[in-house]
Amino acid sequence: MGTNAASSADRLKVILSHLPNKPGNIPFDFLGSKKSFEISPAPKGLESAITLLFTEDCLEFLVKLVETFDQKADEVLRQRVLRRCAVESGKMPEFVSRRPNKSKGWKIDSIPRRLVNRKLDLGDISPARTDLLVAALNANVQGIQVDFDDGHCPSWRNQLQGLYNVFLTVRNQLPGTQSLDKVPVMMLRPRAWNMMEHNVMINGREIPGPLLDFGVLIYHNGRIMADLDSGPFFYLSKVESAIEARLWDQIFTWTENRLGLKFGTIKSCVLIENILATFEMESILYELRHHCIGLNCGIWDYSASIISLFGRRSEFVISDRVRYVNIDQLFLISYIKLLIKVCHKRGALATGGMAALVLDGDASNNQENIIKRVCESKLKEIRLGLDGFMVHDLGLVEHINKLWNEHCLADNQLKVKLPVFKKNAADLLKVPVGQVSLSALEHNIAVATLFIEAWLRQSGTFTFRGAVEDSATAEISRSQVWQWIFHRVPLEDVEGTRISRQLVFDLVDSFAHHLSVSFNQEEKDRLLIAVKIFKELVTAREPPIFITTYLNNHSCFLNACRQSSQ
């Protein structure tokens, strides 16, 4: 046995001697203890970034953060499964109050000076896209959604580049930008709980993506942001319940104690993107009352969550989203009005989603039409009482600023008296009944397929037919196609034709064929992989809850990331 042990040790030495000498290639004994921290090597060109970010003291903070909250994060995901099972068994959501009785009349803590005006944010700004981040930092807006979630592809290269760019920005070291107190507020958006980080393991487990993002961001930047009265401020994605809000509040409080920040320094804006969260909005605010400035709504993820939970029931078949999914529909305007009522009652800000339309830069008549459409849509939101919203295209900023100046000169609409609104569970679940055209089906197929293709080349967004598309639009697109196949929904403009697996397969194959005519072989191969994954998604017996989780764990994506890192 001694001989075998010796030979094993010799073989290990030979293996290790052939490994490249890169940071993180070999797990190391963390600070001389039995706690292990293993990190993937830096992609080429980011060696200095990984060394700068993952310092020994930062690693110690990350390990303690994960050890403290890892099991609680697992419990959050278990609770999601239990709630989903209850819904699938026929239980309909009800309004829930998880606040103690003595809490009547409570308000959130005072909003920091730089967050009182939230009229316009730039959305889907991936920090890995350095040029876009620099342009956003120089824009005439109140804030920037520095997005590690919907508008970002979390390859290891993108994560490191994004974290590094924020590190530089906070220290006024990112070329072409000013000091932090002179640029729009950075609202940092870590990944949601459904995303794991494959490139970092602590004590033998991959860690939740949001803990890595939040941990590195707050450790390196929190104190500087606080000293400059510019943070640290966060967007919290895909929160589904007050239990999850409580977890984030615990994380914030623990972090403030650990880093010596004043209690309540960390502030957040919670995205209400799930139908179940709508029934707990007030409780979500209550749990985060010391660390929250308000709630945000976004219609695409929200609508997709309804399909995900109720999609097998015929009364929840959501029709053509381009024509029927908008704030004129009962289920969405009820959701937005309820969010505004809850927020304003508790002294919090209510903000809306992002205008995805972009100016193409070469057709002035078309640009005028886009500006008109965006302004008309956003004026509806202003009149509803929202305190702000987002756009993606910087070319729209001056027009939205003008719109606000014409209709609301105050910093927000907290003091605006709004019509009485009574919440109604049935209204929140009354999805639009309409029809589905062939073009609507083709549009959803194109958006979902192209999003997958974008991820395979490590991009979180792409522009298609005059709009920026991200994981939210991909989510509703693939969800609708799956639902329409499941219910064999008829096409309104093709007599006698119902949507089926074969029809969808034929359409996506045809789309890919025509699109790839001018592609090189590498591009064609990538598109064919995207088509294959799309087919998996829309025909799965149990479709994944989140498209990003599915893609993040897919071998094709992981292989593409490995190849690009070499």
Side-chain angles (χ1 to χ4, degrees):
M1 187 166 69
T3 303
N4 288 339
S7 60
S8 295
D10 290 339
R11 286 197 300 272
L12 181 59
K13 288 180 181 178
V14 172
I15 292 170
L16 294 181
S17 68
H18 286 83
L19 286 174
N21 185 21
K22 296 180 179 179
N25 226 13
I26 306 170
F28 60 87
D29 192 23
F30 180 71
L31 298 180
S33 72
K34 294 182 179 180
K35 301 172 184 176
S36 67
F37 184 100
E38 187 172 356
I39 184 169
S40 296
K44 187 175 180 180
L46 288 171
E47 293 85 358
S48 60
I50 199 172
T51 302
L52 191 65
L53 293 168
F54 292 94
T55 58
E56 186 173 293
D57 51 355
C58 181
L59 296 184
E60 181 182 10
F61 175 79
L62 272 178
V63 168
K64 292 187 180 299
L65 175 69
V66 171
E67 287 183 338
T68 304
F69 295 104
D70 196 37
Q71 290 187 8
K72 293 182 179 180
D74 285 345
E75 180 59 28
V76 158
L77 297 178
R78 281 193 288 270
Q79 289 297 324
R80 286 185 179 183
V81 172
L82 293 175
R83 296 176 82 194
R84 173 173 287 272
C85 289
V87 169
E88 290 177 351
S89 298
K91 179 178 174 59
M92 296 301 290
E94 299 174 346
F95 290 108
V96 176
S97 176
R98 303 184 188 278
R99 307 184 314 280
N101 292 331
K102 64 181 180 180
S103 66
K104 186 176 180 180
W106 63 273
K107 300 271 188 179
I108 67 166
D109 288 0
S110 60
I111 298 173
R113 176 185 62 83
R114 293 208 66 192
L115 295 181
V116 172
N117 185 337
R118 303 292 305 128
K119 287 179 180 174
L120 185 58
D121 268 9
L122 291 172
D124 273 359
I125 306 298
S126 167
R129 294 182 57 188
T130 307
D131 56 341
L132 181 59
L133 179 61
V134 170
L137 288 164
N138 286 291
N140 183 22
V141 295
Q142 280 68 54
I144 304 168
Q145 184 191 66
V146 182
D147 194 358
F148 288 87
D149 195 52
D150 273 7
H152 173 84
C153 176
S155 66
W156 191 222
R157 175 177 294 280
N158 284 346
Q159 288 306 110
L160 290 176
Q161 186 67 65
L163 293 169
Y164 182 55
N165 281 345
V166 173
F167 181 97
L168 294 177
T169 300
V170 169
R171 290 158 178 78
N172 196 20
Q173 295 173 3
L174 190 67
T177 63
Q178 303 179 71
S179 62
L180 197 64
D181 55 340
K182 295 179 180 177
V183 298
V185 170
M186 290 201 297
M187 298 291 295
L188 306 170
R189 183 183 184 184
R191 282 169 287 183
W193 290 114
N194 60 296
M195 299 293 281
M196 294 296 120
E197 176 51 67
H198 299 312
N199 295 283
V200 175
M201 296 184 74
I202 292 178
N203 298 332
R205 292 188 77 194
E206 290 182 349
I207 70 173
L211 290 185
L212 177 81
D213 299 343
F214 172 78
V216 175
L217 289 167
I218 194 70
Y219 184 81
H220 286 297
N221 308 303
R223 169 60 64 186
I224 301 174
M225 291 178 131
D227 288 345
L228 291 172
D229 197 22
S230 300
F233 307 138
F234 294 88
Y235 270 117
L236 301 180
S237 300
K238 300 175 177 63
V239 171
E240 296 189 11
S241 69
I243 294 172
E244 297 182 25
R246 185 182 309 149
L247 173 58
W248 273 114
D249 191 72
Q250 292 169 351
I251 291 171
F252 293 158
T253 301
W254 180 90
T255 299
E256 288 167 340
N257 289 333
R258 186 84 187 175
L259 298 182
L261 297 171
K262 181 181 177 182
F263 177 71
T265 296
I266 299 172
K267 297 296 183 183
S268 64
C269 180
V270 182
L271 280 74
I272 303 298
E273 302 172 294
N274 184 281
I275 179 64
L276 297 180
T278 307
F279 290 84
E280 296 189 34
M281 283 195 287
E282 202 157 15
S283 297
I284 288 170
L285 262 186
Y286 180 80
E287 293 294 345
L288 278 161
R289 63 195 180 279
H290 303 303
H291 293 108
C292 193
I293 63 162
L295 305 177
N296 175 270
C297 48
I299 67 172
W300 298 129
D301 276 319
Y302 184 80
S303 300
S305 77
I306 294 175
I307 297 175
S308 179
L309 281 165
F310 307 105
R312 287 179 170 82
R313 296 167 58 169
S314 59
E315 66 267 33
F316 288 98
V317 175
I318 298 181
S319 305
D320 175 357
R321 69 180 176 93
V322 175
R323 288 185 292 171
Y324 297 104
V325 182
N326 53 62
I327 66 169
D328 293 325
Q329 300 298 325
L330 181 61
F331 81 121
L332 290 179
I333 199 167
S334 299
Y335 146 64
I336 294 172
K337 285 182 176 180
L338 179 57
L339 185 144
I340 295 168
K341 178 181 178 179
V342 168
C343 284
H344 287 190
K345 178 182 178 182
R346 302 304 179 183
L349 299 176
T351 52
M354 186 183 74
L357 293 178
V358 296
L359 304 174
D360 58 16
D362 59 7
S364 58
N365 290 334
N366 190 46
Q367 285 189 9
E368 291 178 3
N369 181 51
I370 290 171
I371 293 167
K372 180 181 178 182
R373 288 169 60 192
V374 171
C375 287
E376 287 177 349
S377 173
K378 292 306 175 185
L379 181 56
K380 289 181 181 180
E381 296 184 15
I382 292 173
R383 287 174 171 164
L384 283 174
L386 284 170
D387 300 293
F389 38 68
M390 289 176 277
V391 298
H392 177 75
D393 192 331
L394 275 73
L396 292 169
V397 168
E398 65 172 301
H399 304 285
I400 298 299
N401 285 336
K402 181 180 178 183
L403 188 71
W404 275 109
N405 289 336
E406 291 173 350
H407 297 278
C408 178
L409 290 175
D411 286 333
N412 53 60
Q413 301 202 80
L414 282 172
K415 295 182 179 179
V416 174
K417 187 174 178 60
L418 299 173
V420 175
F421 172 76
K422 294 184 178 181
K423 61 186 180 183
N424 185 312
D427 290 347
L428 291 167
L429 296 168
K430 185 66 175 177
V431 301
V433 177
Q435 295 176 304
V436 178
S437 66
L438 177 61
S439 63
L441 175 60
E442 290 175 326
H443 184 73
N444 277 351
I445 289 171
V447 169
T449 304
L450 290 176
F451 176 78
I452 298 167
E453 189 275 338
W455 257 57
L456 293 174
R457 53 183 168 83
Q458 298 178 49
S459 178
T461 62
F462 64 97
T463 300
F464 181 65
R465 295 180 182 172
V468 64
E469 309 287 357
D470 61 8
S471 69
T473 51
E475 198 72 86
I476 182 64
S477 294
R478 66 96 183 183
S479 296
Q480 283 202 304
V481 174
W482 173 87
Q483 188 185 45
W484 294 343
I485 292 173
F486 182 86
H487 290 281
R488 293 188 60 80
V489 172
L491 289 175
E492 62 178 300
D493 49 355
V494 184
E495 187 176 351
T497 301
R498 291 181 176 270
I499 298 173
S500 65
R501 179 177 69 173
Q502 190 58 56
L503 174 61
V504 170
F505 281 13
D506 289 345
L507 290 173
V508 71
D509 287 341
S510 176
F511 169 73
H513 173 73
H514 287 96
L515 185 65
S516 65
V517 170
S518 59
F519 283 10
N520 61 36
Q521 192 58 49
E522 180 182 355
E523 293 168 333
K524 288 180 180 178
D525 291 343
R526 186 167 56 236
L527 182 60
L528 288 176
I529 294 172
V531 168
K532 175 185 175 183
I533 296 174
F534 171 79
K535 291 177 178 179
E536 294 170 3
L537 284 164
V538 299
T539 58
R541 181 177 176 86
E542 296 294 335
I545 298 171
F546 298 106
I547 188 173
T548 48
T549 308
Y550 190 79
L551 294 179
N552 195 49
N553 297 330
H554 204 286
S555 60
C556 292
F557 172 65
L558 296 174
N559 289 335
C561 291
R562 292 189 192 102
Q563 292 171 9
S564 69
S565 295
Q566 296 173 355

